[in-house]
Amino acid sequence: SDDAVIFIEDGTYCLLGRDLGLPTARIQVLAADVQSRGLENRIHSSIPRISYQALVLSCCDANSISSWF
């Protein structure tokens, strides 16, 4: 499936050394939230960092969106 999971805000902490059981290629994290929390070197480099613009484009391209805060 083409589903993606984008971690934002405090959800970025979920990526600290945990196996989430999700395909890594479909996990992304908002770069600004990683930086503002000082997690640049603590989240594995294989997880793509995306910009706010890329987040908006991903949401616009998606058939449906689920968000948990």
Side-chain angles (χ1 to χ4, degrees), residues 10-26:
D10 284 344
T12 57
Y13 291 111
C14 293
L15 298 174
L16 296 178
R18 293 190 180 136
D19 179 9
L20 301 174
L22 300 171
T24 304
R26 299 304 303 153

Side-chain angles (χ1 to χ4, degrees), residues 20-45:
L20 301 174
L22 300 171
T24 304
R26 299 304 303 153
I27 295 174
Q28 300 170 336
V29 64
L30 193 61
D33 290 339
V34 171
Q35 183 178 12
S36 69
R37 286 159 178 79
L39 302 176
E40 296 94 330
N41 297 322
R42 297 184 61 199
I43 294 177
H44 199 276
S45 61

